[in-house]
Amino acid sequence: MNAVPDTDDGLSDEEELLLSDPDMSEVEVELVTAALGEPRLSAGRMVQHFESSFARWVGRKHAVAVSSGTVGTWLALRALDIGPGDEVIASPYSWHQVAHAVELTGARVVFSDINYWSGCLDPVRAADRITPATKAILAGNTNGHPAAWDEFRKLADEQGIWLIEDSTEALGSRLQGKLVGSFGDLSVFDFSQPSALCCGEGGMVVTDDDALASELRYLRSRSLKDRRSISVGSRVPLQALMSEITAALGAGQLGRIDRILDKRKAVEASYLLEMQSFEGVKPPYVAPGVDEVHWMLYVVHLGKRFTASACNDILEDLETELIEAVMYCMPLHQQFHYMQQGWKRGDLPLTERIADRALALPLHTHLTPGHVKFIVKTLKDSSINVGAGAAIYL
């Protein structure tokens, strides 16, 4: 955020309101400085500290630090011995395209439609996709909203398949008293922007299974003691370890995570207040049993009257006012790689209906009530200017 004097309306001249902006402090600076003074910049004490602290925070037995959420998911699939000839059911609707990891293993991703309200993979529709080749369900807590984990757990147990939890978008959200990351056989987090816990890059895979944790560590990287080994490459480990510097950032962020999440909640409250100026606005949906949702970004859903062209015009208007905003995602089944496999528009109508008009607005701790008021006013003015009226729902 540009450090220039505020004007009377609470905004700064030429101030760009970014989609995400990490919350850093002297704590992170001190830990990074300490890491730089250590003799090891990888595979050292800071990674071990971050792993153990994160496992305690989530409430899992093991945490394995990795270079990204996608790589973490790839390692998770490999640890479960999923590869060519296997199928994994996944949602096409998300910010982080974690489902790409399925392709990297040589397995086939089978997309299934979402719950219209939560945006998460629908367990009933997912059940219809199960075949003898299905080895796992990869379900995500979309934009922070927990998925229907009781139903997914029952389905996975009945079918004898693995349940992988994608928590790359949902740090801190709670369902039935438990943090997200608590529900899968393996659960994956990502710490790149716009995560509330931001290390620049990096991720974490958590599990309660000793054997899976051991296999994850084996596949993640080789150690010094392996340099003369003739067997370490039998399952071809990757170079996917998190660096000590990244872990130092993560440890600092984790130590302050409750405060960071509280500050983001205050920004969300400002959005809720300002959005009341829109006719017919509904508050963000929170499913029964969900205790708390920590949104990754503030997503608004434009009404049916908004065409694709109108959505692009709104984004251009926001950009003109130095507000960084984007469409939430392009569904995976509409992307070139998967269209080459036979997927096409029309296959997943609920996903398409939501994705066509889901607009992601800035959400981070550096936003003030004045910033949010300006963002919402600009959005409202633009929606009227494009000729579609102001009615939207959240």
Side-chain angles (χ1 to χ4, degrees), residues 113-126:
D113 219 341
I114 61 175
N115 177 285
Y116 177 79
W117 296 104
S118 70
C120 301
L121 189 68
D122 187 316
V124 174
R125 291 180 170 87

Side-chain angles (χ1 to χ4, degrees), residues 68-353:
S68 75
T70 301
V71 169
T73 308
W74 185 15
L75 291 172
L77 293 164
R78 288 189 62 192
L80 298 174
D81 197 29
I82 293 173
D86 298 329
E87 293 179 351
V88 177
I89 297 170
S91 169
Y93 182 71
S94 67
W95 178 268
H96 291 291
Q97 297 172 344
V98 175
H100 287 333
V102 179
E103 293 290 303
L104 295 175
T105 66
R108 176 174 177 262
V109 61
V110 177
F111 295 121
S112 185
D113 219 341
I114 61 175
N115 177 285
Y116 177 79
W117 296 104
S118 70
C120 301
L121 189 68
D122 187 316
V124 174
R125 291 180 170 87
D128 292 337
R129 298 285 192 178
I130 293 174
T131 72
T134 304
K135 294 298 185 294
I137 296 172
L138 172 59
N141 301 299
T142 303
N143 194 39
H145 193 288
W149 290 113
D150 284 349
E151 290 87 341
F152 278 120
R153 181 78 272 168
K154 181 179 179 182
L155 176 61
D157 290 346
E158 289 176 349
Q159 297 293 329
I161 58 179
W162 296 102
L163 181 59
I164 304 171
E165 180 181 359
D166 171 11
S167 288
T168 56
E169 303 180 16
L171 192 102
S173 296
R174 291 181 181 271
L175 172 67
Q176 298 173 352
K178 300 175 68 176
L179 281 170
V180 295
S182 303
F183 304 102
D185 296 307
L186 292 156
S187 302
V188 184
F189 291 85
D190 185 275
F191 305 135
S192 61
Q193 288 183 247
S195 175
L197 193 163
C198 184
C199 306
E201 296 293 342
M204 196 79 74
V205 185
V206 298
T207 184
D208 295 323
D209 189 303
D210 295 344
L212 286 177
S214 177
E215 183 68 2
L216 284 168
R217 295 186 188 283
Y218 172 90
L219 293 170
R220 176 182 62 180
S221 60
R222 63 178 64 194
S223 64
L224 285 174
K225 66 182 180 180
D226 296 324
R227 293 186 69 83
R228 295 286 291 173
S229 171
I230 63 172
S231 63
V232 69
S234 60
R235 299 193 301 285
V236 191
L238 299 175
Q239 190 65 27
L241 182 64
M242 178 183 288
S243 76
E244 289 288 285
I245 297 169
T246 299
L249 280 173
Q253 295 263 284
L254 184 62
R256 302 170 46 245
I257 193 60
D258 290 341
R259 174 60 178 152
I260 292 172
L261 292 175
D262 285 346
K263 289 162 69 176
R264 289 170 63 92
K265 272 295 180 185
V267 176
E268 178 191 334
S270 294
Y271 268 117
L272 288 172
L273 177 64
E274 296 299 331
M275 283 293 179
Q276 300 312 309
S277 64
F278 279 92
E279 178 185 354
V281 165
K282 300 176 183 178
Y285 174 78
V286 178
V290 173
D291 304 311
E292 188 172 24
V293 178
H294 285 282
W295 308 108
M296 184 182 66
L297 292 168
Y298 201 84
V299 176
V300 295
H301 299 277
L302 305 176
K304 288 183 179 180
R305 69 185 72 180
F306 288 86
T307 63
S309 176
C311 292
N312 289 333
D313 289 343
I314 289 173
L315 288 175
E316 289 179 4
D317 287 345
L318 292 170
E319 183 180 8
T320 298
E321 297 298 331
L322 302 182
I323 299 168
E324 187 177 25
V326 294
M327 300 305 292
Y328 178 69
C329 85
M330 170 60 74
L332 288 179
H333 75 288
Q334 292 180 246
Q335 295 187 23
F336 179 79
H337 176 80
Y338 300 100
M339 292 178 69
Q340 294 296 104
Q341 299 177 6
W343 294 97
K344 62 184 183 302
R345 183 172 177 85
D347 288 341
L348 303 167
L350 291 178
T351 296
E352 294 157 14
R353 179 178 175 185

